[in-house]
């Protein structure tokens, strides 16, 4: 398995995993959240990663790029895109 991307949070990870699944690509989500340390690793390493099989990596990357281009300007889980 190869790291495809580091999603900002769980909703983004699940949305991308679902889109990949619709296109016949298996994806695994690994969150860096640790209950014992109340998410401290997420502040250091990010929310987590999304992995796909190496043989599907190029196609998965293309699918994610197309999805992001087609996505609305303001994604509900992306705080950096919210306007004041």
């Amino acid at each position: 398995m190869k790291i495809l991307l580091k999603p900002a949070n769980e909703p983004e990870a699940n949305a991308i995993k679902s889109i990949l699944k619709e296109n016949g690509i298996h994806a695994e989500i690994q969150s860096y959240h640790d209950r014992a340390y109340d998410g401290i690793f997420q502040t250091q390493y990010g929310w987590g990663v999304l992995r796909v099989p190496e043989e599907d990596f190029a196609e998965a990357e293309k699918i994610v790029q197309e999805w992001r281009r087609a996505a609305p300007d303001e994604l509900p889980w992306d705080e950096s895109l919210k306007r004041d």
Side-chain angles (χ1 to χ4, degrees), residues 2-5 16 19-20 25 50 52-69:
K2 186 173 179 178
I3 294 175
L4 176 64
L5 57 89
I16 294 171
I19 290 162
L20 292 172
I25 297 175
L50 191 71
V52 296
E54 287 191 42
E55 60 271 13
D56 294 329
F57 183 81
E59 182 65 20
E61 207 170 36
K62 179 182 168 189
I63 291 167
V64 170
Q65 288 172 359
E66 289 174 3
W67 176 74
R68 286 192 166 152
R69 278 194 295 262

Side-chain angles (χ1 to χ4, degrees), residues 4 11 14 19 21 30 32-35 38 41-44 49 54-55 58 61 65 69 74 76 79 82:
L4 176 64
N14 286 325
I19 290 162
K21 183 178 178 182
Q30 178 189 358
Y32 293 142
H33 185 77
D34 186 331
R35 291 183 189 167
D38 194 27
F41 296 116
Q42 287 179 314
T43 60
Q44 291 179 317
V49 294
E54 287 191 42
E55 60 271 13
E61 207 170 36
Q65 288 172 359
R69 278 194 295 262
E74 293 189 38
E79 295 296 321
K82 290 189 177 179

Side-chain angles (χ1 to χ4, degrees), residues 8-9 12 73-82:
N9 51 44
E12 181 182 18
D73 290 339
E74 293 189 38
L75 300 174
W77 56 78
D78 192 343
E79 295 296 321
S80 67
L81 295 177
K82 290 189 177 179

